C-alpha cells in the first residue's frame, strides 16, 4: 500500500513537472511563421487600465471586409502583425479578447502607404477597456464563497480551493458552449497563473523540516529555555518567545507550534501555571517573527516570488521592525498574564527528571548534518540572488542534499511532504488567476489607486491595516495571493513605491493579522487544538480578547518602522 | 486486579473528576487508573502530514499530564497508574474498564459544549453501557465551573 502511495505521489510530481515545462514552452505558432517575413509589419503593445500587458489579444487586420492578417499579443503585451497583401485602400485593426471590450482602429493614409512600400509601422501603446459581464460576477461570487467557506471551517482549505477551481473550469468549459460570455480561460492559460517557484520552495522546505523535527531539537530548546531562565517565569517567557520566533523564521509556523505546544504545556504544568500564559505569547511571536525571512511564512513566499524580493531584502527591511514588535509583544504578554506568572512554583524533582528525559536531542548526527545543510541553504538564499538563483532551486538542492547525506526512508520523506498544502496552493493560484482574468483585481487596483492617488504613506497605511484587519476574518494566504497584483499595480504607479515597500506592508499586514483572531492563522488553530487536548480551552472569544490588542500593538510598531525605513 | 477508572484530559475542568477519584479510592482502598486518550481530530482543520511526529508528542504530553495527576493522588496516599491510549474515547474507557476489572468508573459531567464528546443525555446512556459491559458502577463528578 505504501509503495503504491509512493508511486502515486511520484506520478503526481511528474504531472506537476510536465505542466511546468508544457506551459513555459508553449508559444503561439504564428509567431514563428511571422519571423520568416520581415515586410509589411505592424508592431504594437496592448495594455490594460493598470498599464499591465495583456496577453492573448486577437488582432485582425481588415482591408474593407477582407481579413489580411491575424496574430495574438505575447505575454509582454506586444504583437507583430504581418499583412499577407499590400493592395488595399483602407486598413483597420480589430482587437478582441475575452473580458475586454472589442476595439477597432483605422490606420492613417501615411501609415498605409508605408506598409504598402514594404515598411513597418509601430503603433502607440493601446489600452483595452475591461468588460464586466455575467462571468465577472460568477467568478467573484466563487472567490468570496471560497474565502467564507475557509474562514467558517465548513470545508478543509484544500477542498474549498479545489471546489473553487473545479467550478471555474466547469463554468468555463461547460458554460461556453451555451454562451460565450461564460468563458473564463483555457486550462493551459490557467496553469500560467500557478507560481511554480512557490510550489517547489514549499516542497523543498517541507522535506528539510521533516528531517529537523525528528531530531528532538524543539524539545531540547524548550527544556534549555527553562534551565536558562532558572525558574524565573518572565525570563522563561522571553526566551520561549524568541526560540519560537526564530524557529518560525526558518521553518513553517504550523510545524513550530505543533512541536513547541506540547512541551510548553508540560513545562507550564510542572511550574503550576496556566499553559495559555506561555502558549499565547509563543503563537504571537511565531506569527510576527516569521515575516522576517522569505521562507518564514507562506505569505512571504508568495510575496517574495511575485515581487522578486530576496531573502536578504526581507531580512534587512523587516527584521528591525519585527524585533521592535517583539519587544512590544513581550511587554504586552508580561502585563496581560502577570497574575498567572506570579503563582509559579518550583518544579518537583520527579517532573524535572521527566522533562530532562524529554529535552534530549534524539538524532544528534542528523541534526548536525541538517545544521550544515541549513547553513548552506541560508548562504545560497542570501548570495544566490546575485546569480539569479531562485529560492525554490535552493530549497530543492538543500532538501535533496540532506536526503542523500542522511539517507532517510525515502517513502517517509515523501510522505512528509504536505501534498494537501501544495494542492491547496495550485488550486488557489488558479482561482485567483480567474479573478484576475475577469477583471476583479483590476477593479480593486483602480479603486485603491484612486483612493490613495500618489500618496505613498496613505497607500502603506491602507495596505498594512487593511491586510491586518482582514486577515483576522479571512485566510491570509488567499487574501495575499489576490492582493499581489493590486500591490504590483500600486508599486508601478505611486512615486517612491519602487522600493517594494508596499510588498513589505502586505507581508506585515497579512502575517501579523493572524494574531487578531483564532482563525487568523493555522498555527493558532493547531495551538488551540493541542491546548484543548490538555484541558485548556482557547475559545474564539478568548483568543480575540488577548490577540486583538497584540495585533494593534504590533501593527502600530511595524507601521512606524516601515514609515521610518522607507 | 480491581480499581477505579478515571478518564481525564487535564486542566482545571478535570479537577473535580480527579478529586472524586481520589476520594473514592481512599474510601474503598482501591488504586486509580487514570486514562488519557490521544485525539488528533483538531488536525482536520489544518494541513499537516506530520501525524506520526504529532502523535508521539501528544502521547508524551498525555504521559506528563498523567504523571502530574498521579503525583497529586500519591500525595494523598493513593496508588495511581497512568494509561495513554489512542482512539475512540467511549471504546477505550470500556476496554480499560474490562482490562483492569474496574469497580468504579468516574466521569466528569461536562458543560453543554458542542466540542465535547458527551452531552448530559449521552453521558447517562454511556454510563449504562459501561455498567452493562464492565460491571463497574459509574460515578459522576460535577464540574464546579
Amino acid at each position: 500500500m505504501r509503495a503504491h502511495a509512493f508511486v502515486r505521489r511520484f506520478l503526481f510530481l511528474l504531472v506537476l513537472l510536465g505542466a511546468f515545462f508544457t506551459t513555459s514552452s508553449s508559444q503561439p505558432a504564428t509567431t514563428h511563421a511571422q519571423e520568416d517575413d520581415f515586410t509589411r509589419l505592424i508592431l504594437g503593445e496592448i495594455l490594460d487600465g493598470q498599464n499591465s500587458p495583456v496577453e492573448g489579444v486577437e488582432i485582425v487586420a481588415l482591408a474593407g471586409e477582407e481579413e489580411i492578417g491575424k496574430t495574438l499579443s505575447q505575454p509582454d503585451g506586444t504583437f507583430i502583425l504581418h499583412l499577407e497583401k499590400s493592395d488595399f485602400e483602407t486598413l483597420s485593426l480589430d482587437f478582441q479578447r475575452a473580458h475586454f471590450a472589442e476595439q477597432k482602429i483605422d490606420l492613417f493614409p501615411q501609415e498605409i502607404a508605408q506598409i504598402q512600400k514594404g515598411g513597418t509601422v509601430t503603433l502607440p501603446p493601446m489600452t483595452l477597456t475591461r468588460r464586466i459581464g455575467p462571468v465577472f460576477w460568477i467568478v467573484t461570487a466563487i472567490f468570496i464563497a471560497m474565502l467564507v467557506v475557509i474562514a467558517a471551517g465548513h470545508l478543509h482549505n484544500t477542498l474549498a480551493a479545489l471546489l473553487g477551481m473545479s467550478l471555474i473550469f466547469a463554468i468555463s468549459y461547460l458554460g461556453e458552449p451555451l454562451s460565450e460570455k461564460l468563458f473564463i480561460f483555457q486550462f493551459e492559460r490557467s496553469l500560467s497563473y500557478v507560481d511554480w517557484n512557490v510550489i517547489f520552495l514549499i516542497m523543498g522546505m517541507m522535506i528539510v523540516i521533516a528531517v529537523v523535527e525528528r531530531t528532538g531539537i524543539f524539545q531540547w530548546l524548550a527544556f534549555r529555555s527553562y534551565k536558562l531562565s532558572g525558574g524565573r517565569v518572565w525570563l522563561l517567557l522571553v526566551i520561549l518567545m524568541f526560540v519560537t520566533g526564530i524557529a518560525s523564521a526558518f521553518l513553517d509556523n504550523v510545524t513550530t507550534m505543533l512541536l513547541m505546544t506540547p512541551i510548553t504545556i508540560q513545562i507550564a504544568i510542572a511550574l503550576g501555571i496556566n499553559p495559555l500564559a506561555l502558549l499565547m505569547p509563543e503563537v504571537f511571536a511565531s506569527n510576527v517573527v516569521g515575516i522576517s525571512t522569505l521562507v518564514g511564512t507562506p505569505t512571504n513566499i508568495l510575496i517574495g516570488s511575485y515581487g522578486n524580493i530576496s531573502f536578504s531584502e526581507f531580512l534587512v527591511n523587516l527584521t528591525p521592525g519585527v524585533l521592535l514588535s517583539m519587544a512590544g509583544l513581550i511587554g504586552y504578554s508580561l502585563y496581560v498574564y502577570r497574575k498567572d506568572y506570579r503563582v509559579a512554583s518550583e518544579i518537583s524533582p520527579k517532573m524535572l527528571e521527566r522533562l530532562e528525559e524529554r529535552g534530549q536531542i534524539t538524532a544528534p548526527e542528523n541534526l548536525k548534518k541538517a545544521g550544515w545543510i541549513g547553513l548552506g541553504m541560508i548562504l545560497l538564499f542570501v548570495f544566490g540572488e546575485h546569480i539569479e538563483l531562485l529560492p525554490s532551486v535552493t530549497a530543492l538542492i538543500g532538501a535533496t542534499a540532506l536526503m542523500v547525506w542522511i539517507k532517510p526512508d525515502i517513502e517517509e520523506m515523501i510522505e512528509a511532504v504536505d501534498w494537501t498544502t501544495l494542492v491547496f496552493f495550485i488550486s488557489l493560484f488558479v482561482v485567483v488567476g480567474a479573478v484576475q482574468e475577469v477583471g476583479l483585481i483590476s477593479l480593486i487596483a483602480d479603486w485603491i489607486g484612486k483612493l490613495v492617488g500618489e500618496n505613498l504613506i496613505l497607500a502603506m497605511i491602507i495596505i498594512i491595516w487593511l491586510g491586518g484587519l482582514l486577515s483576522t476574518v479571512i485566510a491570509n494566504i488567499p487574501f495575499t495571493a489576490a492582493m499581489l497584483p493590486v500591490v504590483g499595480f500600486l508599486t508601478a504607479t505611486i512615486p517612491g513605491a519602487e522600493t517594494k515597500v508596499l510588498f513589505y506592508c502586505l507581508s506585515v499586514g497579512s502575517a501579523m493579522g493572524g494574531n487578531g483572531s483564532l482563525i487568523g492563522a493555522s498555527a493558532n488553530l493547531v495551538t488551540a487544538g493541542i491546548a484543548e487536548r490538555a484541558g485548556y480551552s482557547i475559545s474564539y472569544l478568548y483568543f480575540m480578547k488577548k490577540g486583538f490588542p497584540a495585533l494593534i500593538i504590533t501593527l502600530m510598531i511595524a507601521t512606524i518602522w516601515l514609515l521610518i525605513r522607507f | 486486579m480491581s480499581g477505579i477508572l478515571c478518564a481525564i484530559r487535564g486542566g482545571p475542568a478535570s479537577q473535580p473528576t480527579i478529586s472524586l477519584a481520589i476520594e473514592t479510592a481512599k474510601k474503598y482502598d482501591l488504586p486509580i487508573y487514570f486514562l488519557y486518550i490521544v485525539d488528533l481530530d483538531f488536525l482536520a482543520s489544518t494541513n499537516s502530514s506530520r501525524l506520526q511526529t504529532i502523535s508521539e508528542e501528544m502521547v508524551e504530553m498525555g504521559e506528563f499530564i498523567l504523571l502530574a495527576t498521579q503525583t497529586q493522588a500519591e500525595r494523598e496516599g493513593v496508588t495511581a497508574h497512568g494509561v495513554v491510549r489512542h482512539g475512540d474515547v467511549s471504546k477505550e474507557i470500556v476496554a480499560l474498564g474490562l482490562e483492569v476489572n474496574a469497580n468504579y468508573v468516574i466521569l466528569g459531567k461536562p458543560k453543554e459544549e458542542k466540542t465535547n464528546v458527551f452531552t448530559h443525555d449521552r453521558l447517562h446512556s454511556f454510563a449504562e453501557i459501561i455498567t452493562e459491559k464492565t460491571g463497574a458502577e459509574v460515578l459522576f463528578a460535577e464540574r464546579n465551573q
Side-chain angles (χ1 to χ4, degrees):
Chain A
M1 282 298 281
R2 285 171 71 84
H4 180 66
F6 170 65
V7 169
R8 212 171 49 221
R9 289 198 171 105
F10 184 67
L11 283 173
F12 178 63
L13 186 62
L14 277 181
V15 170
L16 285 183
L17 282 165
F20 178 49
F21 290 118
T22 310
T23 51
S24 60
S25 63
S26 63
Q27 294 289 334
T30 51
T31 309
H32 300 295
Q34 285 161 355
E35 281 168 7
D36 296 337
D37 192 340
F38 293 102
T39 61
R40 300 192 301 276
L41 297 179
I42 300 175
L43 312 180
E45 185 185 10
I46 304 172
L47 306 169
D48 65 8
Q50 287 75 49
N51 287 329
S52 298
V54 185
E55 183 189 0
V57 179
E58 189 182 64
I59 304 121
V60 179
L62 295 165
E65 294 295 308
E66 188 187 358
E67 183 184 310
I68 58 167
K70 192 197 269 186
T71 190
L72 287 173
S73 64
Q74 299 301 300
D76 63 355
T78 59
F79 67 87
I80 303 169
L81 178 62
H82 168 62
L83 304 181
E84 290 155 9
K85 54 201 282 191
S86 57
D87 54 334
F88 47 82
E89 288 177 8
T90 60
L91 183 65
S92 58
L93 298 182
D94 188 34
F95 299 83
Q96 278 194 53
R97 191 190 184 282
H99 317 300
F100 286 90
E102 185 181 352
Q103 210 157 321
K104 206 167 185 178
I105 58 164
D106 295 322
L107 268 69
F108 293 115
Q110 57 268 38
E111 290 171 329
I112 294 172
Q114 198 174 334
I115 293 167
Q116 283 170 334
K117 277 188 259 170
T120 298
V121 166
T122 305
L123 299 175
M126 149 136 207
T127 304
L128 288 189
T129 314
R130 284 278 178 187
R131 186 181 60 208
I132 307 292
V135 80
F136 170 90
W137 298 109
I138 293 170
V139 171
T140 303
I142 290 173
F143 181 64
I144 293 170
M146 185 188 79
L147 293 179
V148 170
V149 166
I150 291 175
H154 291 321
L155 280 181
H156 191 285
N157 293 356
T158 305
L159 192 52
L162 264 174
L163 183 63
M165 180 175 74
S166 303
L167 280 172
I168 280 163
F169 283 140
I171 290 162
S172 199
Y173 278 90
L174 302 176
E176 196 197 2
L178 303 172
S179 163
E180 63 175 25
K181 287 180 180 169
L182 292 176
F183 173 75
I184 301 167
F185 51 23
Q186 296 283 354
F187 179 71
E188 292 76 10
R189 171 127 182 103
S190 74
L191 291 183
S192 70
Y193 284 103
V194 179
D195 190 337
W196 297 99
N197 184 39
V198 169
I199 303 296
F200 282 90
L201 177 53
I202 293 174
M203 192 174 84
M205 291 307 292
M206 280 174 178
I207 294 173
V208 175
I209 291 165
V211 173
V212 174
E213 74 181 22
R214 289 160 204 221
T215 60
I217 181 72
F218 286 91
Q219 294 76 7
W220 182 85
L221 282 171
F223 182 67
R224 288 292 128 195
S225 303
Y226 166 73
K227 292 293 273 183
L228 199 64
S229 71
R232 283 162 292 185
V233 183
W234 67 268
L235 188 56
L236 173 67
L237 172 84
V238 174
I239 300 170
L240 281 177
M241 283 178 80
F242 271 101
V243 165
T244 311
I246 293 166
S248 297
F250 294 96
L251 310 172
D252 77 281
N253 296 358
V254 171
T255 304
T256 304
M257 288 316 297
L258 274 173
L259 297 171
M260 285 300 286
T261 302
I263 186 76
T264 302
I265 290 174
Q266 291 167 52
I267 292 174
I269 289 173
L271 282 166
I273 62 171
N274 179 1
L276 304 189
L278 294 178
L279 287 179
M280 293 293 288
E282 270 184 21
V283 79
F284 295 157
S286 175
N287 288 331
V288 167
V289 186
I291 63 170
S292 53
T293 70
L294 171 69
V295 295
T297 61
T299 49
N300 267 18
I301 293 176
L302 286 171
I303 293 166
S305 184
Y306 188 93
N308 200 19
I309 301 173
S310 68
F311 190 89
S312 48
E313 281 176 311
F314 269 115
L315 212 58
V316 169
N317 291 313
L318 289 182
T319 305
V322 161
L323 289 176
L324 291 170
S325 299
M326 266 292 273
L329 269 183
I330 289 169
Y332 168 75
S333 304
L334 286 171
Y335 175 75
V336 168
Y337 289 108
R338 63 194 183 283
K339 287 179 188 160
D340 293 282
Y341 301 143
R342 278 188 207 135
V343 300
S345 56
E346 207 174 315
I347 295 183
S348 73
K350 203 171 170 183
M351 288 194 185
L352 189 64
E353 191 187 332
R354 174 80 189 181
L355 284 175
E356 198 157 10
E357 268 174 38
R358 291 275 291 119
Q360 303 292 324
I361 300 289
T362 50
E365 270 306 302
N366 284 0
L367 182 63
K368 209 158 91 181
K369 289 172 184 172
W372 283 114
I373 295 281
L375 185 66
M377 284 173 72
I378 291 172
L379 291 174
L380 277 181
F381 278 136
V382 173
F383 297 108
E385 66 192 72
H386 301 297
I387 53 167
E388 292 185 15
L389 179 65
L390 288 173
S392 55
V393 177
T394 299
L396 282 178
I397 291 172
T400 311
L402 196 55
M403 286 196 287
V404 169
W405 200 3
I406 289 178
K407 293 189 181 67
D409 182 334
I410 190 71
E411 279 192 40
E412 268 185 33
M413 285 296 106
I414 297 295
E415 293 271 353
V417 172
D418 208 333
W419 295 99
T420 49
T421 296
L422 297 184
V423 172
F424 168 67
F425 271 94
I426 291 171
S427 311
L428 177 67
F429 281 131
V430 172
V431 175
V432 172
V435 167
Q436 241 176 297
E437 192 77 16
V438 298
L440 175 63
I441 301 289
S442 302
L443 213 69
I444 295 170
D446 262 347
W447 178 73
I448 297 181
K450 279 176 191 153
L451 187 72
V452 301
E454 294 194 341
N455 190 334
L456 180 61
I457 293 175
L458 184 61
M460 287 170 69
I461 290 170
I462 285 180
I463 291 174
I464 294 173
W465 288 84
L466 187 75
L469 297 176
L470 280 180
S471 293
T472 62
V473 284
I474 58 173
N476 60 1
I477 295 172
F479 169 75
T480 304
M483 280 298 285
L484 285 171
V486 176
V487 172
F489 164 67
L490 296 175
T491 299
T493 53
I494 298 176
E498 59 279 0
T499 53
K500 298 174 186 172
V501 57
L502 296 178
F503 284 107
Y504 297 119
C505 293
L506 182 61
S507 161
V508 163
S510 58
M512 289 187 177
N515 280 338
S517 77
L518 183 61
I519 58 163
S522 298
N524 304 351
L525 291 167
V526 160
T527 306
I530 299 175
E532 218 256 322
R533 265 64 185 171
Y536 296 90
S537 174
I538 302 177
S539 66
Y540 189 90
L541 204 64
Y542 177 86
F543 197 100
M544 191 161 243
K545 211 169 133 193
K546 306 289 180 190
F548 204 77
L551 164 69
I552 301 295
I553 291 168
T554 51
L555 279 187
M556 276 170 61
I557 295 172
T559 306
I560 293 168
W561 161 252
L562 286 171
L563 288 173
I564 294 169
R565 176 76 181 88
F566 293 96
Chain B
M1 209 164 37
S2 59
I4 297 158
L5 171 57
C6 177
I8 58 160
R9 182 168 264 193
S14 286
Q15 274 314 309
T17 322
I18 295 167
S19 299
L20 180 60
I22 293 172
E23 205 179 291
T24 313
K26 280 180 179 172
K27 191 173 172 185
Y28 299 105
D29 193 23
L30 288 168
I32 307 175
Y33 293 88
F34 286 114
L35 172 65
Y36 180 88
I37 293 161
V38 174
D39 164 14
L40 299 177
D41 284 353
F42 66 94
L43 290 175
S45 60
T46 59
N47 297 329
S48 187
S49 59
R50 299 183 163 76
L51 280 181
Q52 195 193 330
T53 313
I54 299 155
S55 176
E56 285 165 13
E57 287 304 310
M58 295 298 284
V59 169
E60 293 284 355
M61 187 177 82
E63 285 175 357
F64 198 86
I65 289 169
L66 292 178
L67 176 70
T69 314
Q70 282 168 257
T71 308
Q72 185 185 342
E74 281 161 9
R75 270 203 304 264
E76 303 223 19
V78 174
T79 306
H81 308 276
V83 180
V84 176
R85 292 278 165 90
H86 290 263
D88 181 81
V89 178
S90 319
K91 283 181 188 164
E92 291 306 322
I93 290 175
V94 171
L96 187 63
L98 285 168
E99 276 173 45
V100 302
N101 193 20
N103 306 76
Y104 298 96
V105 173
I106 315 288
L107 297 177
K109 264 191 179 171
K111 284 196 289 190
E112 290 283 0
E113 288 174 357
K114 278 185 193 170
T115 54
N116 206 299
V117 174
F118 299 115
T119 59
H120 287 175
D121 288 344
R122 285 184 64 195
L123 190 68
H124 285 284
S125 319
F126 178 54
E128 283 168 18
I129 294 169
I130 292 174
T131 306
E132 189 188 315
K133 290 193 175 171
T134 67
E137 185 183 339
V138 177
L139 304 176
F140 293 105
E142 295 287 344
R143 264 177 74 152
N144 51 14
Q145 55 172 7

